[in-house]
């Protein structure tokens, strides 16, 4: 049997990691400025994380959600305090796509409506409901097509209001920062306007913080720059530093009933041990402040490079455009300078390093980028 050939692969195989570096079998070192799609939040093989996961698997790796698992409630309390939403409830699942599926389902249960407003260039996942919310026809199969989802332009509050007033919508879903679209930042005033509008119309506001959350932008969630409180927040990516996990934060207005949501693997013992270790490291090493500081340095340095266009982002979630092929530039950085970066479309590079990346490592990246440009 062979693998189903759906990925474009670089001919490099990391076999171990340490902090912001990964290494191949022959010992070649690569600076990781992409974090595996923003997943590596506290760095590769962090000792505290490794010990927490190893200790837990030695005790109990898994049991289903049919029994009490105090690791879940302990993590929920720690998570709520860390992010400022300790009055919300938490549903744990396995991925960002699942988190968004469950968020939209909750909104539909809560309102009794079926329609959802999303935004152009959005990416919310590849499962059936999540891909219907994603503005990319290349990944939408005929089975996923639905009239229940409409798309408005990002940062166009007037158009969003016009569409919402014409239909009976259950929810609006918006990314804290559009990641796959190339780091497109919603205006604070736009998010504030959406919050006011959805409250007036009885529509649920869902903030997809899967890529933009967990301290990456210099606050715990990107939407906190706008000073709003959504009805539902979805998380994944950096929540467990590579262990598959997703989460839905649910405001107190939502009422649960038995069997409303469910999952086999979501919130399992290993996932909760990993996620708790991530929060402990983020807090003990002040990684959110570091993300803000190093991110500010990177943005300033990138904006001073004349060949780059439209440098944008917050904290350690950064995108910029180049005149030529972004893929060519990424290959040069990878094979000539041994630095991993991400892409988004023909002309955009994305930077999503671990939250503990140092200023020295940021300077290494800037120097290498200038040389390959």
């Amino acid at each position: 049997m062979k693998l189903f050939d759906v990925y474009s692969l670089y001919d490099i195989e990391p076999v171990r990691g340490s902090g912001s570096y990964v290494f191949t079998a022959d010992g070649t070192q690569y600076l990781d400025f992409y974090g595996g799609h923003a997943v590596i939040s506290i760095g590769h093989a962090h000792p505290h994380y490794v010990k927490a996961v190893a200790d837990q698997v030695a005790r109990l790796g898994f049991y289903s959600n049919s029994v009490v698992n105090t690791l879940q409630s302990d993590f929920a309390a720690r998570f709520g305090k860390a992010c400022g939403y300790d009055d919300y409830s938490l549903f744990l699942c396995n991925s960002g796509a699942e988190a968004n599926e469950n968020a939209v389902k909750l909104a539909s249960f809560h309102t009794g409506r079926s329609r959802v407003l999303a935004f152009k260039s959005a990416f919310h996942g590849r499962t059936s409901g999540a891909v219907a919310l994603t503005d990319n026809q290349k990944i939408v199969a005929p089975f996923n097509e639905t009239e229940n989802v409409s798309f408005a332009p990002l940062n166009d509050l007037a158009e969003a209001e016009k569409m919402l007033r014409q239909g009976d919508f259950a929810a609006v879903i918006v990314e804290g920062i559009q990641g796959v679209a190339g780091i497109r930042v919603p205006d604070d005033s736009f998010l504030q306007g959406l919050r006011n509008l959805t409250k007036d119309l009885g529509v649920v506001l869902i903030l997809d913080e899967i890529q933009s959350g967990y301290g990456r932008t210099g606050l715990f969630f990107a939407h906190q720059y706008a000073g709003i409180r959504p009805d539902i927040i979805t998380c994944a990516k950096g929540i467990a530093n590579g262990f598959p996990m997703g989460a839905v934060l649910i405001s107190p207005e939502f009422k649960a009933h038995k069997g409303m949501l469910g999952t086999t693997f979501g919130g399992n013992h290993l996932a909760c041990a990993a996620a708790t270790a991530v929060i402990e490291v983020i807090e003990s090493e002040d990684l959110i402040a570091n993300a803000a500081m190093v991110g500010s340095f990177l943005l300033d340095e990138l904006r001073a490079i004349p060949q780059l266009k439209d440098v944008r982002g917050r904290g350690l979630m950064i995108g910029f455009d180049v005149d030529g092929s972004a893929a060519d530039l990424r290959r040069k950085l990878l094979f000539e300078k041994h630095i991993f970066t991400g892409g988004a479309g023909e002309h955009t590079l994305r930077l999503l390093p671990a939250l503990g990346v140092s200023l020295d490592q940021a300077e290494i990246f800037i120097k290498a980028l200038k040389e390959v440009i």
Side-chain angles (χ1 to χ4, degrees), residues 331-360:
R331 279 191 289 269
K332 287 181 179 180
L333 285 165
L334 183 60
F335 292 108
E336 295 179 19
K337 301 298 182 181
H338 294 168
I339 299 175
F340 279 94
T341 58
E346 185 177 355
H347 301 292
T348 302
L349 262 74
R350 281 190 289 167
L351 308 179
L352 299 159
L355 307 187
V357 68
S358 70
L359 277 174
D360 287 345

Side-chain angles (χ1 to χ4, degrees), residues 125-163:
R126 291 179 179 269
T127 54
S128 186
V131 81
L133 300 167
T134 294
D135 185 28
N136 183 348
Q137 285 301 308
K138 292 181 180 179
I139 65 171
V140 179
F143 173 75
N144 305 124
E145 293 176 352
T146 174
E147 295 181 356
N148 285 334
V149 180
S150 301
F151 295 94
L154 188 70
N155 286 326
D156 189 338
L157 186 62
E159 183 62 21
E161 179 172 5
K162 178 181 175 183
M163 295 174 73

Side-chain angles (χ1 to χ4, degrees), residues 276-323:
T276 299
V278 167
I279 287 182
E280 289 170 347
V281 171
I282 285 175
E283 292 180 339
S284 66
E285 298 184 8
D286 206 9
L287 294 188
I288 296 178
N290 187 73
M293 184 265 293
V294 178
S296 178
F297 169 81
L298 282 167
L299 286 165
D300 288 345
E301 291 292 312
L302 291 166
R303 286 169 178 150
I305 299 175
Q307 296 95 328
L308 305 185
K309 301 188 299 183
D310 193 21
V311 177
R312 55 196 177 270
R314 276 175 164 157
L316 293 175
M317 190 172 184
I318 296 172
F320 57 86
D321 298 337
V322 295
D323 284 324

